[in-house]
Amino acid sequence: MFKGTSFAKLKSNLKLSISRFKLLEKKKTEQATKARKDIADYISGGKDDRARIRVEHIIREDYIVEAYEMLEMYCDLLLARFGLIEKMKELDPGIEEAVATLIWAAPRIYSDVPEMKVIADQFLHKYGKEFFEKCRDNVNANVNDKVRHRLSIGPPPKVLIEQYMMEIAKNFKVPFEPDPSIMLEANGMVAHDLIDLGNRPGPSGGGASGGYGGGSGGYGGGGGGMAFPPMPAQQPHMHQPPVMEEKPPWYNPNAEAAAPESKPFQYPSNPSAPTVSFYTPMGPVVVLQNQSILKHCMLIRNRRPTD
């Protein structure tokens, strides 16, 4: 089992498969882009049934391109973890899905990617016939579900066909009315499958109400988002007591109580008087004057006897 495996052949065919996948993806994408113009012409000419048949071809090509992208990713993963294939006799769980998916997909895409048959044969020699046959029939359910769906032979849903036609008509500015019965069915399916974002837990365990994210892919699936924290409950207004001014250590409360009643200040009628004194609740005020020009005013507030 282990003896017949050629690791050099396996590695080289993995690299060749990646290059071929990229070329096929580019080719099919360009062909689908050109086919959309033909579909728009059919819609504008009133040939909706003919346009729907062409849309099925486009959907099939889009499915195949998406499957090729996944298989290309698995080939790249196996190259990055090739040491697990070379050094370990048993299949490592980290590459089990990639190996099983490539074995399952090999006979389905052999005509486009012949290197896949060589890769599948090397896995047969490496991991044995029993595991190989189980992967072909997906007995262990270790084949990627998305690849299985994209490479299936079933027709696409009618709803998807109508959505493709609506998008193509919109891009080419062609008037188109979708089938009402199909769109009614689509609305029912969407309403049934929608996720209740109000009850969906956010990143921190709370309820999510939208935010960043959404769509059918990207950061974490459909419709998610970053939950905003709840608004804090508004506290009732409470009267704040006035802040009492801290008194200095040398404050003398008796000085303020003993101060006489304050009187409004008036300039002296005698300009030759050297000083004029008057009292306020804050203490005595001494105004020094010289030749009717006020030069200095000093407020003496509860001065200590030693000052």
Side-chain angles (χ1 to χ4, degrees):
M1 177 177 67
F2 181 76
K3 185 176 180 181
T5 307
S6 174
F7 297 114
K9 183 181 291 187
L10 177 60
K11 179 179 286 189
S12 62
N13 278 273
L14 286 172
K15 294 179 179 179
L16 290 174
S17 296
I18 292 175
S19 301
R20 192 176 295 273
F21 279 134
K22 290 181 178 179
L23 291 175
L24 290 172
E25 292 163 16
K26 182 179 179 181
K27 178 181 177 181
K28 290 182 177 297
T29 302
E30 292 175 353
Q31 291 175 350
T33 302
K34 294 178 180 178
R36 281 170 167 79
K37 178 62 173 63
D38 298 335
I39 294 173
D41 294 338
Y42 285 136
I43 295 175
S44 62
K47 301 178 181 180
D48 293 351
D49 293 336
R50 178 63 176 165
R52 287 185 176 92
I53 296 175
R54 292 298 301 273
V55 166
E56 286 195 30
H57 288 285
I58 290 182
I59 294 176
R60 172 59 52 201
E61 294 299 312
D62 287 349
Y63 278 178
I64 293 176
V65 168
E66 194 170 354
Y68 284 175
E69 290 175 351
M70 295 289 297
L71 295 174
E72 177 193 341
M73 180 192 68
Y74 281 138
C75 291
D76 199 12
L77 175 66
L78 292 178
L79 286 175
R81 301 180 181 179
F82 201 77
L84 297 176
I85 302 175
E86 286 182 306
K87 305 299 181 183
M88 299 182 64
K89 288 187 177 182
E90 301 297 330
L91 180 61
D92 188 88
I95 60 174
E96 179 180 358
E97 182 176 309
V99 172
T101 303
L102 292 180
I103 292 175
W104 180 89
R108 292 166 174 82
I109 62 173
Y110 168 72
S111 59
D112 287 341
V113 190
E115 292 83 2
M116 290 295 294
K117 183 179 184 302
V118 180
I119 294 173
D121 290 342
Q122 294 303 315
F123 287 145
L124 171 63
H125 296 310
K126 171 67 179 178
Y127 299 113
K129 185 176 181 180
E130 181 181 358
F131 173 78
F132 184 85
E133 294 297 333
K134 287 182 178 180
C135 292
R136 282 290 177 90
D137 299 331
N138 195 26
V139 175
N140 297 330
N142 51 4
V143 178
N144 184 274
D145 292 334
K146 191 173 183 179
V147 174
R148 288 196 307 110
H149 178 263
R150 296 298 184 259
L151 294 180
S152 64
I153 59 176
K158 294 182 179 180
V159 173
L160 184 60
I161 294 175
E162 293 298 314
Q163 291 175 345
Y164 261 72
M165 293 186 66
M166 291 170 58
E167 191 65 26
I168 292 173
K170 180 181 177 181
N171 291 337
F172 288 92
K173 297 180 175 58
V174 177
F176 171 73
E177 291 295 333
D179 191 334
S181 60
I182 297 178
M183 298 311 297
L184 182 63
E185 179 184 355
N187 293 334
M189 292 174 57
V190 172
H192 180 268
D193 296 335
L194 278 179
I195 299 174
D196 186 2
L197 296 179
N199 297 326
R200 189 180 184 185
S204 58
S209 61
Y212 306 102
S216 60
Y219 236 40
M226 182 176 64
F228 292 94
M231 295 294 294
Q234 186 175 3
Q235 300 293 335
H237 177 72
M238 299 181 65
H239 177 70
Q240 298 293 334
V243 180
M244 302 301 294
E245 182 181 359
E246 185 179 357
K247 303 296 182 181
W250 42 265
Y251 173 70
N252 183 9
N254 298 327
E256 183 175 343
E261 182 181 0
S262 61
K263 298 179 181 181
F265 171 74
Q266 294 182 354
Y267 284 101
S269 57
N270 184 7
S272 62
T275 61
V276 175
S277 301
F278 60 95
Y279 285 90
T280 68
M282 303 301 295
V285 175
V286 179
V287 180
L288 303 179
Q289 63 178 15
N290 183 16
Q291 297 179 357
S292 301
I293 300 175
L294 187 63
K295 292 185 176 180
H296 185 67
C297 176
M298 178 179 64
L299 175 65
I300 304 174
R301 178 180 179 181
N302 298 330
R303 300 190 62 178
R304 293 177 292 184
T306 55
D307 293 344

